[in-house]
Amino acid sequence: MEYNTQKTQLHMPEYGRIIQQLVERCKELPTKEERSEMAMAIIDFMGQRNPQLRDEENYKHKLWDHLFILAEYDLDVESPYPFPTREQLAEKPKRMEYPKLQGDFKFYGKSILQLIDKAIELEAGDEKEALIEVIANNMKKSYNVYNKEHVTDDVIFRHLKELSENRLDLTGIESLEKSKIYYTNNNSRNNKNSNSNNNNNNKNQTNKRRHNNNNHKNRK
């Protein structure tokens, strides 16, 4: 069958006029079995003509979609994939969610976001409050390490509020130094230091007594 190449419409110019003509020929075959066999051959040819598509995910599925578009959504063949409708292909892609860790937030890391999500899920109470304060303290450490400068607590509170979409709020605390987690950690450290100092003093006193006893014996 001869084709007038001037009249053949190219629905997807990247595949060229030859493939478009093969698709038109496929549509005219009398049986579904013949059309399906030719469609498979066309798919293989399309893959050969556009090898770059093989690097894409589900490239075979895309080739069948393209075949259906080339056939103007009118092709009765056996396909391993459901053919899309005009409406589906006309749909605009969903708007991508803007990444939260940008600009002022990029150095906090995904682990902070995971902790924030966990804190949001918790019911109000001491556990939730403690976790929020832990998150804020870790955010402050990350900020100081990355920027090599001191950051005020109100900045951390603002960042936490933005990252949690206004669901976590520490503005009721004057500073992280007055949070429970800070006092717990510092009291623990102070107790350890105090115990360590007491032990050292006891050791020094014991050694001093031994030294005096030895001197007393030597004099005798």
Side-chain angles (χ1 to χ4, degrees), residues 153-161 170 173-176:
D153 291 344
D154 63 298
V155 173
I156 296 299
F157 296 159
R158 176 169 56 82
H159 288 180
L160 176 61
K161 196 171 181 181
L170 280 178
I173 300 176
E174 289 183 34
S175 66
L176 288 173

Side-chain angles (χ1 to χ4, degrees), residues 66-130:
H66 293 173
L67 175 64
F68 201 53
I69 295 170
L70 290 168
E72 297 186 70
Y73 305 91
D74 179 24
L75 185 61
D76 183 19
V77 296
E78 292 291 341
S79 168
Y81 309 100
F83 284 136
T85 63
R86 290 181 186 270
E87 292 73 23
Q88 288 173 330
L89 292 176
E91 285 181 5
K92 292 183 179 180
K94 293 181 179 179
R95 186 176 181 181
M96 293 184 65
E97 187 176 337
Y98 190 77
K100 291 182 179 179
L101 295 177
Q102 294 289 325
D104 293 339
F105 308 139
K106 61 186 176 182
F107 42 80
Y108 288 131
K110 291 184 178 179
S111 59
I112 288 292
L113 289 182
Q114 292 170 348
L115 287 173
I116 288 174
D117 290 339
K118 176 64 177 176
I120 291 172
E121 292 174 2
L122 291 176
E123 294 184 5
D126 291 341
E127 184 181 0
K128 184 184 185 84
E129 185 180 342

Side-chain angles (χ1 to χ4, degrees), residues 2 20 25 52 55 60 66 89 93 99 110-111 134 138 141 150 155 159 173 187 203 206 217:
E2 295 183 359
Q20 183 68 63
R25 172 64 181 137
Q52 72 277 3
D55 296 330
K60 278 282 189 181
H66 293 173
L89 292 176
K110 291 184 178 179
S111 59
V134 167
N138 278 284
K141 290 176 185 176
H150 179 72
V155 173
H159 288 180
I173 300 176
N187 286 338
K203 286 180 181 178
T206 301
K217 288 178 181 178

Side-chain angles (χ1 to χ4, degrees), residues 49-60:
R49 293 287 297 270
N50 296 271
Q52 72 277 3
L53 290 175
R54 297 184 182 183
D55 296 330
E56 297 184 21
E57 187 178 359
N58 299 323
Y59 89 99
K60 278 282 189 181

Side-chain angles (χ1 to χ4, degrees), residues 159-173:
H159 288 180
L160 176 61
K161 196 171 181 181
E162 290 185 42
L163 286 172
S164 66
E165 297 177 350
N166 299 322
R167 285 178 284 183
L168 300 181
D169 191 354
L170 280 178
T171 53
I173 300 176

